[in-house]
Amino acid sequence: MAAVRPSLVFAGFMGAGKSTAARAAGAALGREALDTDELLLRALGEPLETFFDREGEAAFRAREEAVVLEALETAQGAPVALGGGALGSQRVCEALGPHTVVWLDVDSATAWERAGRAGGRPLARDREAFEALHAQRHAVYERAADAIVPAGAPGAVTDALPHLLALADAPAGARMVWARSASGDYPVFAGPALLETGWFPVAGRRFAVSDTTVWELHGRHLEPVAGSVLVDPGEPSKTLASAERVWRAMAQQGATRDDLVVALGGGVVGDLAGFCAATYQRGLRVVHVPTTLVAQVDSAYGGKTGVDIPEAKNYVGAYHQPSAVLVDPATLLTLPPEELAAGYAEVVKTALIAGGALWERVREGAGGAAQPDVILACARTKLAIVAQDERDAGRRQVLNLGHTVGHAIETAAGYGRYRHGEAVALGLLAALRLSGRDELRAEVAELLAAHGLPRRLEGVQPQDVLQALRRDKKRRGEGRVPFVLVEAPGDVREGAEVPDAEIEAAVRELLR
Ligand SMILES: NC(=O)c1ccc[n+]([C@@H]2O[C@H](COP(=O)([O-])OP(=O)(O)OC[C@H]3O[C@@H](n4cnc5c(N)ncnc54)[C@H](O)[C@@H]3O)[C@@H](O)[C@H]2O)c1
């Protein structure tokens, strides 16, 4: 039997736009796409719905399986659109091995609306059953997907196509998530030992920005680099003085607008290098290679870059989306435990925002602070929010959960005393107090403490924290700083006005 040539196989719930996506990919590749629902229609000689209603689901699935298996074998590089339930078959899942499975992720409300418009689909007649099926299939698609592209974005599949194809040559286990934002889309590649293999997703001369610790441990994997500049590890390096060093080193090393800045390190390096990339010659591409848990779950995505000034954190900066993000969880193996703990605070924050399956996984706590699937789920949560609101005009503010008090603690303590994640852990507890969610606060405090994070504020005066809060850049005019409050996991609201006395009480409680 001839070897199976890999195809892009589009999977997803009904209404995800699989046929349209496969056709778009086919047009770009000069190949005719296969649509397994259409092939099934031809094989049955009648509409899928009438066969399903007369013969029942088991008979339908058996016929569907046979058609899908044949399509996967004969496609030979042509894109394939898979029927929504095809992944329920073990044999189909096995046959997907050589192919790149692209999950078009559609939310259940959009899917319901589209299925309604399509009319008469047997599994789209009862809303409650539809929601349950969506949740069940979500997990199946998530497991099978090599790549995840948000459904409903016109042009996303064509834009993502080169990266989807590149995945076929990426090291085993690599996955891709297509990140969307108002100012540009980009791929996030994640996989075990991705960095170590030397695989790199973007062409161009690389100018690396890193800190001395990370460079020593992982820098060699970025070769060949055309230039590099290293800063001291830690928050005190996130300054304009460091930015000037980076700009000048890049100029001396001959970096031009066609080149790439590669940020190898944690959030400090990412924010600094991203800022330098945004401003050097008015903007260069940047690829983030995050090496801390904070950076892999949070700071590498969404395009916020910047530096601190003594008066306040992250006060000078720019939005600059990366050209790609390369996440290798294996880099976390060299991360000191206290840095892993700091990242865990961002994991808990993100899980509280996401709710649902992610929150359940995090509160169960199996597998430690840095599980690759949790890292990717956190990244996807952040990316989905940034896709709605890149510039913090509304929904993105939920990502500041725990950060308002957290940043004020960092500023009041002098950058460097508390790690960012440690301050966020305390900030989360303050936010949950302000939310009046005492039980949840107790549970979160337990989770944080079990991962080595502080429950108490030490060595910082509450009035200094309150003073720093007054300077928070989220404050508008003379008004109050808006807070992010938690109704329940998955129900987090931005923009709450909180009386000063309550804020003071929540900060003072951290001293107990
Ligand atoms: N831009 C955003 O959206 C965003 C979001 C969250 C946080 N942040 C920023 O991120 C920063 C915090 O990031 P961070 O916690 O990653 O700090 P960091 O970059 O200072 O890294 C923490 C320490 O870990 C070391 N390190 C990094 N990777 C390592 C590895 N693989 N092995 C061994 N040591 C390693 C570093 O040398 C450093 O000493 C803060 O400045 C915060 O404001 C930004």
Side-chain angles (χ1 to χ4, degrees), residues 12 51 54 58 64 126 131 224 233 249 275 287 347 373 403 421 425 440 512:
F51 183 90
R54 193 185 61 248
E64 183 183 43
D126 166 343
E131 302 272 345
F275 177 61
V287 174
V347 171
D373 61 336
H403 281 60
L440 189 57
R512 280 191 240 133

Side-chain angles (χ1 to χ4, degrees), residues 211 235 238 266-268 271 291-292 299 304 313 331 334 382:
D211 72 33
E235 191 72 27
K238 221 175 95 172
V268 165
D271 283 8
T291 63
T292 62
S299 64
K304 278 192 185 177
K313 207 177 136 58
T331 57
T334 58
K382 176 161 184 183

Side-chain angles (χ1 to χ4, degrees), residues 210-215 217-218 231-238 264-272 288-308 313-314 318 328-336 338-340 342-343 346 349 382 386 396 399-400 403 407 410 415 419-422 424:
S210 189
D211 72 33
T212 47
T213 305
V214 177
W215 189 250
L217 289 165
H218 302 287
V231 297
D232 290 337
E235 191 72 27
S237 283
K238 221 175 95 172
L264 177 74
V268 165
V269 164
D271 283 8
L272 173 69
H288 287 291
V289 184
T291 63
T292 62
L293 188 55
V294 167
Q296 293 193 355
V297 298
D298 192 339
S299 64
Y301 323 99
K304 278 192 185 177
T305 74
V307 296
D308 305 326
K313 207 177 136 58
N314 295 337
D328 182 349
T331 57
L332 302 180
L333 295 173
T334 58
L335 196 63
E338 54 282 10
E339 295 298 344
L340 209 54
E346 299 283 10
K349 174 202 84 170
K382 176 161 184 183
V386 174
R396 184 166 182 169
L399 294 170
N400 284 322
H403 281 60
H407 282 165
E410 281 184 87
Y415 306 120
R419 289 181 177 81
H420 175 73
E422 292 168 346
V424 167

Side-chain angles (χ1 to χ4, degrees), residues 234-239 268 308-314 405-423 426 457-469 471:
E235 191 72 27
S237 283
K238 221 175 95 172
T239 58
V268 165
D308 305 326
I309 54 176
E311 288 73 13
K313 207 177 136 58
N314 295 337
V405 169
H407 282 165
I409 290 173
E410 281 184 87
T411 305
Y415 306 120
R417 185 180 194 290
Y418 275 104
R419 289 181 177 81
H420 175 73
E422 292 168 346
L426 293 166
L457 179 65
E458 280 168 8
V460 182
Q461 294 305 316
Q463 58 268 30
D464 293 340
V465 177
L466 296 167
Q467 170 71 22
L469 267 174
R471 225 181 262 133

Side-chain angles (χ1 to χ4, degrees), residues 178-410:
W178 189 243
R180 302 191 53 235
S181 76
S183 65
D185 299 355
Y186 55 94
V188 174
F189 290 98
L194 204 50
L195 186 60
E196 199 178 283
T197 59
W199 185 82
F200 202 78
V202 185
R205 289 201 311 166
R206 302 172 200 164
F207 285 80
V209 180
S210 189
D211 72 33
T212 47
T213 305
V214 177
W215 189 250
E216 167 101 34
L217 289 165
H218 302 287
R220 64 189 180 284
H221 299 310
L222 279 189
E223 291 295 348
V225 293
S228 62
V229 50
L230 307 183
V231 297
D232 290 337
E235 191 72 27
S237 283
K238 221 175 95 172
T239 58
L240 271 175
S242 300
E244 184 175 1
R245 269 196 55 215
V246 174
W247 290 319
R248 293 189 60 186
M250 286 173 59
Q252 286 154 17
Q253 292 167 9
T256 71
R257 293 201 57 184
D258 294 333
D259 298 324
L260 287 174
V261 172
V262 182
L264 177 74
V268 165
V269 164
D271 283 8
L272 173 69
F275 177 61
C276 292
T279 44
Y280 180 83
Q281 297 190 358
R282 296 197 188 83
L284 242 62
R285 293 173 298 163
V286 61
V287 174
H288 287 291
V289 184
T291 63
T292 62
L293 188 55
V294 167
Q296 293 193 355
V297 298
D298 192 339
S299 64
Y301 323 99
K304 278 192 185 177
T305 74
V307 296
D308 305 326
I309 54 176
E311 288 73 13
K313 207 177 136 58
N314 295 337
Y315 236 44
V316 177
Y319 286 94
H320 188 56
Q321 298 295 343
S323 294
V325 183
L326 191 66
V327 183
D328 182 349
T331 57
L332 302 180
L333 295 173
T334 58
L335 196 63
E338 54 282 10
E339 295 298 344
L340 209 54
Y344 183 72
E346 299 283 10
V347 171
V348 172
K349 174 202 84 170
T350 312
L352 282 168
I353 294 169
L358 180 55
W359 168 246
E360 291 306 325
R361 255 186 286 178
V362 168
R363 76 198 294 213
E364 278 164 19
Q371 304 170 59
D373 61 336
V374 169
I375 292 173
L376 203 60
C378 288
R380 291 185 57 219
T381 301
K382 176 161 184 183
L383 291 171
I385 293 168
V386 174
Q388 290 172 42
D389 170 26
E390 181 188 57
R391 302 265 159 154
D392 243 350
R395 189 61 188 158
R396 184 166 182 169
Q397 288 163 21
V398 295
L399 294 170
N400 284 322
L401 175 61
H403 281 60
T404 308
V405 169
H407 282 165
I409 290 173
E410 281 184 87

